[in-house]
Amino acid sequence: MIKKILIANRGEIASRISHTCKSMGIEVVAVYSDADRNALHVREADKSIHLGDSLAENSYLNYKKIIKIALDNKVDAVHPGYGFLSENPDFAKALKKNNIKFIGPSVSSMKSMSLKNDARSMMEKAGVPVLPGFSADGLSQKQILKKCENIGFPLIIKASAGGGGKGMHVINKKGEITNKLEGAKREALSSFGNDSILIEKYLQNPRHIEVQVLADNYGNIYTLSDRDCSIQRRHQKVIEEAPATNISLEVRKEMAFQAEQVAKNISYSGAGTIEFLLEKNNFYFLEMNTRLQVEHPVTELILGVDLVELQIRVADNEKIIMDYNENSIKGHAIEARVYAEIPEKD
């Protein structure tokens, strides 16, 4: 039974996880960097421990130090929140080795979705719809040009290990391929330590729809409605809403079915999100986030569920029985992110 949880994160998400833990009677251990010494999540926890200086690599990304703190404080489990170590299989593996539960999926599930190239290939084999595209790894310049011309323009280059819009470049014509490919590889290597590149057909006006999934360790998989995250800036979400509007029931059901297939294919457990691009009633697998999303509250609000509580119950090896259907949705929820930026100065 999980009685004490260390939250390996900061700010809003750490505070949000803490509230659920308290409601479940679970003791909370918080960690903090120099910059977060007086942060809300630190004040709310039952115990708070200094992690390191303000640089993330010396604090929230220092998983060896986090594991030492977890062992010293005899915690039963670690919740990674989102960002930082939430999709780091080495962290999850090290926790398991030390008999501490990782509140998230298995190491193998996480690894199977960590690289876009591998995830795309796996989903294609499983019959989940994917965009026309290919991995540029190991191909000559001539082979890449030929494959690009066969698919047709515009195309988009993506860093296989990337996220947050980094390493993404749109190619509008043949003459742009070489320069943009080299630039994307450099960017991918400096941002993610991996210069693996994926090239796909670029949809110019698609909707970005994601399906929330929740799975336990007994083969039960639930698709908990969907969210529309189409309003973006620099490939990063700005407005998120649930449920997604103006989608036919047929497409919505098929998307939920395919999301379930993705989860089933990788023996997923816990909360996760399968992202799709939707254009004219056709949708394509984009990626899977093997963690809690920033926008998870909009799903909680329309369904009256607590996804963090469900994550903890799955980690505690509980069987999850949910009576969910389309009639479970009550109302509509919107979340907006605030950007500190001067757009006209780029």
Side-chain angles (χ1 to χ4, degrees):
M1 181 72 183
I2 294 174
K3 291 181 179 173
K4 190 190 280 192
I5 286 177
L6 182 147
I7 302 169
N9 217 301
R10 64 178 295 279
E12 183 270 337
I13 187 58
S15 183
R16 184 262 169 280
I17 294 164
S18 180
H19 290 181
T20 288
C21 290
K22 296 283 180 71
S23 74
M24 296 175 75
I26 296 169
E27 198 178 330
V28 174
V29 176
V31 289
Y32 63 91
S33 69
D34 287 348
D36 292 324
R37 193 174 294 275
N38 299 310
L40 181 64
H41 79 276
V42 176
R43 302 198 305 271
E44 288 178 333
D46 296 295
K47 189 173 183 181
S48 298
I49 296 153
H50 181 247
L51 193 51
D53 64 43
S54 300
L55 284 172
E57 55 262 41
N58 298 333
S59 52
Y60 300 107
L61 288 172
N62 186 345
Y63 73 78
K64 288 180 181 173
K65 194 164 184 183
I66 289 171
I67 290 171
K68 186 182 184 307
I69 291 169
L71 288 167
D72 290 347
N73 287 274
K74 297 180 171 58
V75 305
D76 304 303
V78 170
H79 198 307
Y82 46 65
F84 293 134
L85 298 166
S86 62
E87 292 178 286
N88 186 317
D90 294 333
F91 179 49
K93 196 173 176 181
L95 283 170
K96 190 178 180 182
K97 194 177 171 185
N98 285 283
N99 295 314
I100 299 166
K101 290 174 179 172
F102 174 74
I103 300 175
S106 67
V107 171
S108 62
S109 290
M110 216 184 297
K111 277 185 171 176
S112 66
M113 287 291 145
S114 62
L115 294 176
K116 289 185 175 73
N117 280 337
D118 295 347
R120 176 199 157 81
S121 175
M122 191 185 297
M123 291 306 107
E124 203 169 8
K125 283 174 189 164
V128 177
V130 297
L131 283 163
F134 62 95
S135 166
D137 299 346
L139 297 181
S140 67
Q141 199 71 29
K142 192 177 177 182
Q143 288 171 313
I144 290 170
L145 290 171
K146 192 173 191 315
K147 281 181 175 284
C148 286
E149 285 182 311
N150 286 344
I151 294 169
F153 300 93
L155 295 161
I156 187 162
I157 298 172
K158 296 176 184 176
S160 181
K166 288 177 182 172
M168 291 176 83
H169 298 274
V170 176
I171 309 168
N172 291 302
K173 55 189 179 187
K174 187 179 175 181
E176 297 176 353
I177 297 172
T178 306
N179 278 348
K180 288 191 174 178
L181 190 61
E182 286 171 2
K185 275 180 160 307
R186 282 195 302 271
E187 198 177 329
L189 190 63
S190 66
S191 297
F192 311 110
N194 184 330
D195 69 352
S196 184
I197 291 295
L198 172 69
I199 298 176
E200 285 183 331
K201 180 74 180 165
Y202 180 60
L203 301 182
Q204 290 175 291
N205 288 300
R207 290 176 65 187
H208 189 127
I209 309 293
E210 53 189 37
V211 178
Q212 176 70 55
V213 296
L214 189 283
D216 64 15
N217 302 317
Y218 301 91
N220 295 306
I221 302 170
Y222 301 96
T223 52
L224 303 177
S225 188
D226 41 45
R227 300 184 285 259
D228 191 322
C229 305
S230 304
I231 299 173
Q232 300 185 9
R233 168 85 176 145
R234 304 184 194 279
H235 304 291
Q236 292 181 328
K237 301 163 189 173
V238 182
I239 302 289
E240 293 124 352
E241 58 181 314
T245 58
N246 301 319
I247 297 176
S248 72
L249 189 59
E250 188 185 342
V251 170
R252 196 186 295 276
K253 281 184 174 175
E254 182 60 23
M255 216 179 281
F257 171 76
Q258 292 295 354
E260 194 178 317
Q261 297 315 298
V262 174
K264 196 178 284 183
N265 211 263
I266 60 168
S267 303
Y268 196 77
S269 72
T273 297
I274 289 93
E275 304 196 3
F276 296 104
L277 290 179
L278 171 68
E279 188 178 68
K280 295 174 185 170
N281 287 336
N282 293 315
F283 63 88
Y284 309 91
F285 172 80
L286 184 62
E287 64 181 357
M288 181 177 189
N289 293 296
T290 55
R291 55 172 168 79
L292 203 63
Q293 294 277 92
V294 174
E295 57 272 27
H296 76 274
V298 291
T299 294
E300 293 181 322
L301 285 166
I302 63 164
L303 293 177
V305 298
D306 184 330
L307 288 170
V308 173
E309 181 181 334
L310 289 167
Q311 282 185 301
I312 293 168
R313 294 194 184 284
V314 170
D316 223 358
N317 210 28
E318 282 189 34
K319 185 181 268 192
I320 306 297
I321 304 296
M322 296 180 81
D323 183 20
Y324 167 78
N325 58 53
E326 286 298 316
N327 299 323
S328 306
I329 298 169
K330 299 283 186 289
H332 198 82
I334 294 176
E335 177 178 309
R337 302 195 204 180
V338 179
Y339 276 61
E341 180 186 12
I342 305 172
E344 60 271 23
K345 291 191 177 176
D346 199 32

